[in-house]
Amino acid sequence: MSSEKIVVCGGGGFIGGHLVGDLLRQGHRDVRSVDAKPLSDWYQTFPSVENLQLDLRDLAACERALEGATTVYNLAADMGGMGFIENNRALCMLTVLINTHLLMAAKKHGAKQFFYASSACVYAADKQTDPNVTALKEEDAYPAMPEDGYGWEKLFSERMCRHFREDFGIATRAARYHNVYGPHGTWTGGREKAPAAICRKVIQAKLSGKHEIEIWGDGQQTRSFMYIDDCLLGTQRILKSDILEPINLGSSELVSINQLVDIVEGIAGVKLKRNYNLSAPKGVNGRNSDNTRIKQLLGWEPSTRLRDGLEKTYAWIHEQIVTGARDKSAPALAYA
């Protein structure tokens, strides 16, 4: 494999940790993983990798992180599930410092490739008012009306990537992730996303014998969820492609939150009484990924069935709970 240096920013987080592991399995040897958290709080660590604890909101830290870099994956962000991003808009917006300073450092050090992990939260809110949503196409991000805070930061950073490509020649690529889930991620503490939260709640209800579950909202809101393996494959294929504009990277298998609970109940072999918390954060009413463009340009789309991915996620979270493992999501800065 190429000896060129690959830097994974946010490598101590969920997606970043999986990406580092995947790069090593492919035979890459010159990999640097960077995260703000202490190494003991990283979701996955690999001794053969150069692991650096750096706060990438700081320009000097970004310049240190990207020394000698040829390829940069920016997966770093202060983020979480809907409960976090609706209540921490300023923190989410401050993530703009990470991508901005990383791009500046990439320019300074002559990095050739730069991948930015964007989000489906960039899409205009008025396109997501109906649970029976029409799948979101890339052009639906404009006129801009994204998720307040987190979505605005992602949309701005997409544009920053575009202009660094146009003005300075850095080969930037951006993918709009749609709800990535899987093992080795946040599963409790307030930053977890719906698949992990539902798995945890079902497991705890089954183990406790109290067969009830709280669902945020009325359960009718719809989403698609992409398994981590599809995310890794799509991310690397997009970076190596000629796709210049931000592109959807997500499953097109649409389910309601109630249906998500149905699936996890089926995996667990239980039926629970559902208590709906209508005052809790629930996000938009409907969101799904239109995969027309990625199929046209790559001849591929995420294809892991939700049931299959949830079985693996459920098994991993069950192990964490029964062994008393602590969740490693950081209280201050949890990179993706």
Side-chain angles (χ1 to χ4, degrees):
M1 299 298 293
S2 171
S3 61
E4 296 180 334
K5 185 180 293 296
I6 301 173
V7 180
V8 178
C9 301
F14 165 47
I15 300 173
H18 279 284
L19 178 58
V20 171
D22 192 53
L23 291 169
L24 293 177
R25 284 189 293 272
Q26 294 176 43
H28 294 285
R29 290 295 171 259
D30 194 358
V31 179
R32 178 182 294 150
S33 183
V34 185
D35 204 282
K37 299 185 291 292
L39 196 62
S40 60
D41 288 339
W42 289 24
Y43 288 85
Q44 299 184 71
T45 55
F46 302 89
S48 61
V49 167
E50 181 186 8
N51 297 305
L52 299 180
Q53 182 190 354
L54 295 169
D55 187 342
L56 296 176
R57 292 172 295 189
D58 180 70
L59 176 58
C62 290
E63 292 179 347
R64 169 67 183 92
L66 268 53
E67 288 177 359
T70 301
T71 297
V72 180
Y73 289 93
N74 179 15
L75 307 174
D78 200 355
M79 56 83 69
M82 191 54 58
F84 177 80
I85 66 176
E86 283 199 4
N87 293 306
N88 295 275
R89 294 187 174 104
L91 285 177
C92 291
M93 288 294 289
L94 285 171
T95 298
V96 73
L97 296 173
I98 297 174
N99 193 61
T100 302
H101 288 152
L102 282 174
L103 283 168
M104 293 170 67
K107 175 178 178 290
K108 177 178 180 177
H109 291 302
K112 297 178 181 178
Q113 296 179 303
F114 187 102
F115 176 86
Y116 177 65
S118 187
S119 167
C121 288
V122 303
Y123 285 113
D126 62 359
K127 302 280 188 180
Q128 304 171 79
T129 58
D130 189 340
N132 300 309
V133 65
T134 300
L136 294 160
K137 298 180 179 180
E138 285 77 4
E139 54 266 29
D140 289 333
Y142 293 94
M145 192 168 51
E147 185 81 40
D148 202 7
Y150 181 71
W152 275 110
E153 186 279 321
K154 290 295 186 183
L155 196 62
F156 175 87
S157 292
E158 286 184 2
R159 302 297 286 192
M160 185 71 82
C161 288
R162 172 180 176 174
H163 296 314
F164 266 71
R165 183 185 74 246
E166 294 170 340
D167 293 358
F168 305 122
I170 301 173
T172 59
R173 302 289 185 267
R176 293 171 178 163
Y177 289 169
H178 287 248
N179 294 311
V180 188
Y181 74 99
H184 297 285
T186 301
W187 53 274
T188 190
R191 290 180 182 260
E192 68 276 18
K193 295 186 178 180
I198 296 302
C199 285
R200 185 199 76 241
K201 290 179 180 181
V202 171
I203 293 165
Q204 291 173 332
K206 182 176 181 179
L207 292 175
S208 70
K210 185 179 180 181
H211 287 185
E212 297 184 6
I213 185 172
E214 181 184 76
I215 298 174
W216 288 6
D218 60 10
Q220 299 300 315
Q221 63 269 36
T222 54
R223 296 291 187 275
S224 65
F225 300 97
M226 173 173 57
Y227 190 61
I228 183 62
D229 290 357
D230 286 331
C231 178
L232 298 178
L233 178 57
T235 292
Q236 294 171 80
R237 292 189 66 172
I238 290 167
L239 178 65
K240 296 173 184 176
S241 75
D242 296 325
I243 302 171
L244 299 182
E245 298 302 322
I247 189 168
N248 280 335
L249 182 54
S251 170
S252 58
E253 182 184 352
L254 185 70
V255 294
S256 69
I257 298 302
N258 279 329
Q259 290 172 324
L260 178 64
V261 176
D262 289 341
I263 295 171
V264 179
E265 285 179 335
I267 294 169
V270 297
K271 287 297 293 183
L272 306 176
K273 177 186 176 184
R274 301 182 184 188
N275 302 315
Y276 295 95
N277 184 348
L278 301 181
S279 64
K282 71 181 188 70
V284 296
N285 287 327
R287 177 183 292 154
N288 195 15
S289 179
D290 185 310
N291 288 345
T292 301
R293 186 167 297 174
I294 197 168
K295 288 190 290 186
Q296 289 175 340
L297 297 177
L298 293 182
W300 173 88
E301 67 173 321
S303 59
T304 302
R305 285 195 322 150
L306 181 58
R307 168 80 187 216
D308 296 336
L310 282 173
E311 286 179 347
K312 297 175 182 178
T313 306
Y314 180 96
W316 182 81
I317 294 175
H318 186 275
E319 182 182 6
Q320 306 312 298
I321 291 174
V322 299
T323 61
R326 70 179 180 90
D327 183 83
K328 293 185 176 182
S329 58
L333 198 63
Y335 287 170

